[in-house]
Amino acid sequence: MEWIISDGLVPYPCALAVMEARAAAIAAGEADEAIWLLEHPPLYTAGTSAKVADLRDPDRFSVFEARRGGQYTYHGPGQRVVYVMLDVGRRGRDVRRFVQDLEHWIITTLDTFNVRGEIRAGRVGVWVARPDKPLGPDGAIAEDKIAALGIRLRRWVSFHGLSINVEPDLTHFGGIVPCGISDHGVTSLVDLGLPVTMADLDAALRQTFDATFPPLAAPTAAPAPK
């Protein structure tokens, strides 16, 4: 497993090209699995289920077709993007379980900061309750999204991945309907009052990774011909 951390802001087309090349190399047995931690300049990405009406301000930032699952997502400075290039073929070939494992990894990571992340049926991503905000129209406690998730598989190798909000400009999410969900908000670790840095989050991600994604065993060598 290779962990890669990029300094500065990585242009989205560059990241996409690198991911696709690495995923192909993993599938061919020519490269190790990789987790890539980075930040993007402000931009919107459209997943395969994106609806045009959910792009509220198309001229605000660049918009890219991501070809991953999901709808519109914002990426920008202060948000940790985690591109996950893993061999799902050797990890059970169960896509639903793989997505659940990614969700569990996010939740376990947030727990290290005493933040309770939760999954909601019919709502993609990881959510936190906001009892400090007004109740919803139905009297329910407000909930905000703190992490988004969207992957693609090619030859049973994943790419794209997830994003966790550390301290992005939350107003930037206003140019889209994030993941097609308009009746809930968006938050970040700093917005929740936690003085968490990007380095803090990176350390927590590494600390919690192996409990969810154990290292792969080395491939068994083929028997020698008789």
Side-chain angles (χ1 to χ4, degrees), residues 20-97:
E20 291 185 339
R22 183 61 174 257
I26 293 169
E30 298 170 353
D32 292 332
E33 295 180 311
I35 303 294
W36 188 10
L37 308 175
L38 56 89
E39 293 173 83
H40 284 307
L43 58 91
Y44 298 128
T45 64
T48 54
S49 302
K51 301 174 182 177
V52 174
D54 288 344
L55 183 59
R56 291 170 164 168
D57 190 352
D59 299 321
R60 189 170 189 178
F61 301 124
S62 297
V63 181
F64 297 94
E65 298 291 331
R67 301 194 298 277
R68 50 148 176 83
Q71 302 186 44
Y72 280 106
T73 299
Y74 167 76
H75 294 311
Q79 180 192 73
R80 178 51 91 207
V81 175
V82 185
Y83 286 137
V84 180
M85 291 157 278
L86 297 180
D87 192 337
V88 181
R90 293 180 61 200
R91 292 182 177 274
R93 292 196 173 213
D94 186 333
V95 178
R96 178 173 295 182
R97 174 61 185 273

Side-chain angles (χ1 to χ4, degrees), residues 3-7 35-38 80 198-199 202-203 206:
W3 287 80
I4 306 163
I5 302 178
S6 291
D7 296 325
I35 303 294
W36 188 10
L37 308 175
L38 56 89
R80 178 51 91 207
M198 202 67 74
D202 292 348
R206 295 195 67 160

Side-chain angles (χ1 to χ4, degrees), residues 1-200:
M1 173 66 65
E2 182 180 8
W3 287 80
I4 306 163
I5 302 178
S6 291
D7 296 325
L9 303 179
V10 179
Y12 188 79
C14 173
L16 187 60
V18 170
M19 276 194 291
E20 291 185 339
R22 183 61 174 257
I26 293 169
E30 298 170 353
D32 292 332
E33 295 180 311
I35 303 294
W36 188 10
L37 308 175
L38 56 89
E39 293 173 83
H40 284 307
L43 58 91
Y44 298 128
T45 64
T48 54
S49 302
K51 301 174 182 177
V52 174
D54 288 344
L55 183 59
R56 291 170 164 168
D57 190 352
D59 299 321
R60 189 170 189 178
F61 301 124
S62 297
V63 181
F64 297 94
E65 298 291 331
R67 301 194 298 277
R68 50 148 176 83
Q71 302 186 44
Y72 280 106
T73 299
Y74 167 76
H75 294 311
Q79 180 192 73
R80 178 51 91 207
V81 175
V82 185
Y83 286 137
V84 180
M85 291 157 278
L86 297 180
D87 192 337
V88 181
R90 293 180 61 200
R91 292 182 177 274
R93 292 196 173 213
D94 186 333
V95 178
R96 178 173 295 182
R97 174 61 185 273
F98 179 65
V99 172
Q100 291 172 342
D101 285 346
L102 290 173
E103 292 171 338
H104 181 264
W105 181 31
I106 296 169
I107 290 169
T108 305
T109 299
L110 293 174
D111 189 58
T112 66
F113 304 108
N114 295 315
V115 173
R116 182 178 179 179
E118 298 179 297
I119 304 302
R120 292 288 180 262
R123 280 196 255 142
V124 179
V126 176
W127 300 80
V128 295
R130 299 300 305 271
D132 54 312
K133 289 188 170 185
L135 297 176
D138 58 355
I141 293 175
E143 294 181 337
D144 288 342
K145 176 181 278 191
I146 195 167
L149 175 67
I151 64 165
R152 185 178 180 189
L153 295 181
R154 182 179 294 162
R155 295 176 61 191
W156 286 104
V157 175
S158 68
F159 55 112
H160 296 284
L162 55 102
S163 59
I164 300 176
N165 298 330
V166 178
E167 192 179 10
D169 185 336
L170 296 179
T171 67
H172 289 180
F173 287 89
I176 57 171
V177 178
C179 299
I181 301 169
S182 60
D183 53 352
H184 295 279
V186 181
T187 190
S188 68
L189 290 166
V190 171
D191 183 53
L192 293 173
L194 300 170
V196 177
T197 67
M198 202 67 74
D200 294 333

